Amino acid sequence: MRRSLITAILAIGFAFFATGCSTMHMGWTAVTGQHKLDDGAMKAYDEMFTSVVEYGDPARAMMKEYKVQEDVSNEEVVESIKALAEEYNMRVVGDTKMFTIPDAKPDEVKFVENVSLCSLYIAKKFLNYSRYFGGFMPCRIMLVEYGNGDRYLITMDLTLAIHGGYPLPPEMSELAGKVKVAMEEIPARAAKGDF
């Protein structure tokens, strides 16, 4: 009798699992705590994991990149970032040339410059909410040039910082959205030399 009961329970469990029963999924979600997460969390994590599986590079999965047009100089890219920062209510809080290697091979990094931006008002709100947001601050845009002349602007994808946990309070969600827009549009425009 006991063996039959266990077999029946296992069969029912397998049937629910195999058919993708939403009741079972909801139960799993409740057990794991996923139901507490922001509505965009699972999509954001799925996109990150998909990228990691495709490229094997977790850093790439957490970044956005923008190819710099050939007719835009490095100086123009940096000037553009700084000019656009004001338009998006961001402050330039740093500009560091990391290195230049004049004889870099075509596939080696030849030049790197980091421009750091921040909205001090928003930074203060987020640090008061969780000091761990400080790891994302200030927002950086890195100009990377290779020996073959290819250049890219790299910046952190803020999707997980915004949607990866419990939902942010409405005001903070709105402010985070503004920073995300700025950190996507500034490098996209600067890569074209837009002022």
Side-chain angles (χ1 to χ4, degrees):
M1 172 73 174
R2 184 173 177 207
R3 187 174 178 190
S4 297
L5 182 61
I6 291 172
T7 303
I9 291 171
L10 288 173
I12 291 169
F14 179 76
F16 279 124
F17 180 74
T19 61
C21 178
S22 62
T23 303
M24 187 170 180
H25 174 71
M26 289 183 335
W28 176 252
T29 300
V31 168
T32 62
Q34 292 176 19
H35 66 286
K36 298 178 191 174
L37 297 177
D38 181 279
D39 289 341
M42 298 316 291
K43 180 178 185 286
Y45 284 111
D46 182 55
E47 288 174 0
M48 183 187 76
F49 288 129
T50 298
S51 177
V52 171
V53 168
E54 183 175 352
Y55 300 106
D57 185 346
R60 180 176 185 162
M62 294 183 268
M63 299 293 147
K64 290 192 170 285
E65 79 173 355
Y66 307 85
K67 190 160 185 0
V68 177
Q69 290 183 0
E70 289 181 20
D71 61 340
V72 181
S73 71
N74 288 349
E75 293 77 18
E76 289 171 326
V77 170
V78 173
E79 285 176 29
S80 178
I81 292 169
K82 292 178 178 180
L84 291 168
E86 278 189 47
E87 184 179 325
Y88 290 88
N89 294 316
M90 302 287 281
R91 178 186 285 183
V92 177
V93 294
D95 180 359
T96 306
K97 289 183 182 174
M98 290 177 58
F99 62 84
T100 302
I101 301 173
D103 60 347
K105 294 177 185 166
D107 62 342
E108 288 182 327
V109 175
K110 175 181 179 177
F111 174 82
V112 176
E113 185 168 353
N114 258 317
V115 180
S116 300
L117 308 176
C118 193
S119 166
L120 301 181
Y121 170 77
I122 295 173
K124 182 179 175 185
K125 287 262 186 199
F126 272 80
L127 289 171
N128 283 334
Y129 179 77
S130 168
R131 66 184 172 274
Y132 301 107
F133 274 105
F136 298 100
M137 298 176 194
C139 295
R140 290 173 304 280
I141 302 173
M142 177 182 277
L143 171 60
V144 179
E145 180 180 4
Y146 285 87
N148 67 2
D150 286 345
R151 293 170 300 144
Y152 301 89
L153 292 174
I154 311 290
T155 190
M156 185 176 287
D157 182 349
L158 296 174
T159 304
L160 281 174
I162 298 169
H163 300 290
Y166 295 165
L168 293 170
E171 180 194 9
M172 290 183 63
S173 182
E174 182 181 340
L175 293 172
K178 289 180 180 180
V179 173
K180 185 176 186 301
V181 166
M183 295 311 296
E184 291 174 0
E185 292 186 2
I186 291 172
R189 292 173 63 184
K192 300 173 188 172
D194 189 357
F195 284 90

